[in-house]
Structure formats: C-alpha cells, structure tokens
Amino acid sequence: MGLIVQKFGGTSVGTPERIRAVARRIVETRRRGNGVVVVVSAMGKTTDQLIALSREVTDSPPEREYDMLLATGEQVSSALTAMAVHALGEPVVSLTGAQVGILTDGVHTKAKIMNVNRERMDKELEDGNILIVCGFQGINDTGDITTLGRGGSDTTAVALAAALQADVCEIYTDVDGVYTTDPRIVPEARKLPLISYDEMLELAQLGAKVLQPRSVEYGKLHDVVIHVRSSFNDEPGTIVKEVSDMERDFVVTGVASDKKVSKLAILDVPDRPGIAHRLFSALAEAHVGLDMIVQSVPAEERNHVMFTVAEDEVGKAITVLERVKKELGAGGITCEAKVAKVSIVGAGIAHNASIAARMFGALAEKGINIKIISTSEIKISCLIDRDQADQAIKAIHDAFELGGGNS
Ligand code: ASP
Ligand code: MG
C-alpha cells in the first residue's frame, strides 16, 4: 500500500460543492489502496478577509494574536472536508497543525518548521483513518499557534510527506502545472512535465506563484517528489524532483518576470573600502530586501551603486539612502519606480555563452533597453522598463523556442 499526501489550495476548497469534489478525489485515492494524508488551505479568500478584519480592529495587531486569528481559516476547511469524506463512508479525522505534530520556531507570521512528530499520524493511519490536516500552521515550543507565511500550506504538505516518507506529495491547485512562462502573457506557453528543485525555486522566487518557495527548499532537502496538478481535471501536471542531465530536453526551462520592482541608485560615492558595507548594513537594519546589486566601473575615484527593491519597499529604502547619503559623501540618489525584471532559468545556463547572447538578441530586436544584467549558475536576469515587460517575455520565449509546437 502506498502513502500519498495531497494538498488542496484555497480555490480547490472554495465552496461546499468544491469541497465535496475534493472529498471524492480523496476517497478515490483511498479506494485504490493508498494511505491518504490531506492538507487543506483556507477556503477561497478567507485568509485575506481575516487579515482585513484584524486591520479594522487595530493597525498593529500583536503577532501572536494575528496567528491565532489566521489559523482559524484552515480549521474551517479541514473540518468541512472531513465531514464531506465522512459522508462518502470513509473513516476520517481532521487535525490541527499542533495535533499533527508540526513544531515550529517562535517567529510568528512566518515560522519555520523545525520538526514533525509523526506519532499521532502513525496511530491514525494504523487505525485506518484518512487524515485531513490544517495547512499553514504549527505550534512553537511554548505551545502557541504559529503560521508559516502566505502560501504556507504547500510547506505543510511537503513537510508531512517528508516525515512520513510518502511516495509523492500532490499539490492540487487551480492551474494545470508549471509552465514555461505565464500563459496569460504568452498563450503558446507549454506545461513542463518535469522541473528540478533548483529551477522551480528560482521560478517561485521570481514570481511564479504555484508553490511557496520554502516548500521547494524543504522538498529538495528531504528528497520529496512534488506533483503540481489541477484539482479540476485528471491530467498529469508537473513533477518537481532532482533531474539528471539525461532527463533534460531544454537548456532554458522557463521565462519569469517580476513587475513589482524598482531601481535605486546612489551616485558618486567615494571609491574606497567600507562604503558598500556601510550602505548595505543600513539597508539591512531597516529590513529592506534587495536584488541585482551592481557597482559601476570607478571614474575619478567615484562609483555609482545600483540595486533593485520590491516596489512596496521603495519608500523605506529611500528614507535609508537619504539618511546615509551625507555620511557616505554621495552625490545623489535616483529612483526608477516602474521597472521589471525578466529572467531565464535553466540548469545549463552558466556553461553556455550563447544563451546570454540569444536572450540579449531577443531584447535588442524589439528595441528594449537593458538597465541591469545579473547572472547566477542557473539564471540570467535583465532589468527593463515595466511597459516593455510583456513584449520582452514573448520575445525571449520565442527566441528559445519554448512554445507548445516545438517540444
Ligand atoms: N491560507 C494561507 C494563505 O492564504 C495559506 C495557504 O493558502 O497556503 O496564505
Ligand atoms: Mg497557495
């Protein structure tokens, strides 16, 4: 008998009818002879509504109480799903994060799973029960409820699959799988049958919303095979696992974009040791998240330093730059608020010079100017005007022949 972990996202359990459909799928899996552990998200937009509700009471809810509130969403969906499974005649029990043994650190609102104690799960499975577990939540070592950050139910599912050494962790969602790029921007985008953890992690961090990045890290660490698939049909989706070179068809796996970035520059800072350290320490103290840091070639013993930040952190970052400008002896600060980052991701990129040439060629042909380039082992990112982002994605996707007709 196999053991399968299935996770259903908010849309998949968004209404009573959908919950009943999910229950049928769970029961089918069970009747094929598998042990089944299910993780559910809160119904539809429940978590957003709970956040809005807290804001109506106070601007600054204590984080412990915030977690206490947000965790209720998953308690509703897990109990209802268990009722629907029960109605189909299978033995079932719903369990909270604490009951199922998910121990986290104490960082409320974005806690990390430290350990999964499988005792209760083993007992329930031995008794023949299907388990319906509240995603997104755990308990810290003082016994308080914590939550795992938005989208955290994915990580709950992968963590349970790891602890139970399940055969597969199926993530049921409202899309068919992971695509070469966003099909809403490029209709020819192709569903990927297979993607490696590292590539998936890049895509997730670059804005592909199908999986919480931490769930992919967790999967990689514990070798959990993740199957991302639609809860609305029976088509196979995308398998995320360690991929060998033999299994790879394409050097470039996908094209991603992040349209919510802004570019900041601090101009004419002295070219001497300690300047970058002071600048970025000040940004770090203010918890500003950065990417694409570039320092210009020095001219007359002066440099420009540029970097990107998430659009909603621009205000915070500028406040820091204004404060340190004088201390650093900088000439000025500039901000381009409306830029976008387009990236190609693929395991072979770093070892293949023609890939970069092809990407830049696609942009050049459309007359798109590149403001910053950054590369890593498995990705090349270009910062461009936000207005041109969709056009850029189409051009790059075409240039690498990633569309449906070419596979
Ligand atoms: N309900 C939580 C959220 O909306 C967790 C999840 O859906 O994975 O972020
Ligand atoms: Mg989700």
Side-chain angles (χ1 to χ4, degrees), residues 7-11 39-48 50-51 70 73-74 77 135-137 147-156 212:
K7 179 253 169 178
F8 295 92
T11 319
V39 174
V40 288
S41 293
M43 291 172 72
K45 300 259 170 268
T46 303
T47 308
D48 292 331
L50 291 171
I51 292 171
L70 262 52
E74 273 70 11
S77 56
F136 178 54
Q137 55 174 262
T147 64
L148 308 177
R150 297 306 306 269
S153 300
D154 295 337
T155 304
T156 303
Q212 195 197 37

Side-chain angles (χ1 to χ4, degrees), residues 191-212:
K191 185 170 76 188
L192 294 161
L194 189 67
I195 187 170
S196 70
Y197 295 115
D198 288 337
E199 291 166 322
M200 187 64 239
L201 194 56
E202 286 291 354
L203 290 180
Q205 277 159 350
L206 290 166
K209 297 238 157 24
V210 279
L211 286 176
Q212 195 197 37

Side-chain angles (χ1 to χ4, degrees), residues 101 227 312:
H227 185 180
D312 53 12

Side-chain angles (χ1 to χ4, degrees), residues 249-252 344 346-360 375-380 400:
D249 293 336
F250 295 85
V251 178
V252 173
I344 54 173
I349 284 175
H351 307 293
N352 196 331
S354 68
I355 300 285
R358 216 197 293 183
M359 180 183 190
F360 304 152
T375 66
S376 79
E377 186 74 9
I378 65 162
K379 116 185 139 177
I380 302 175
F400 288 100

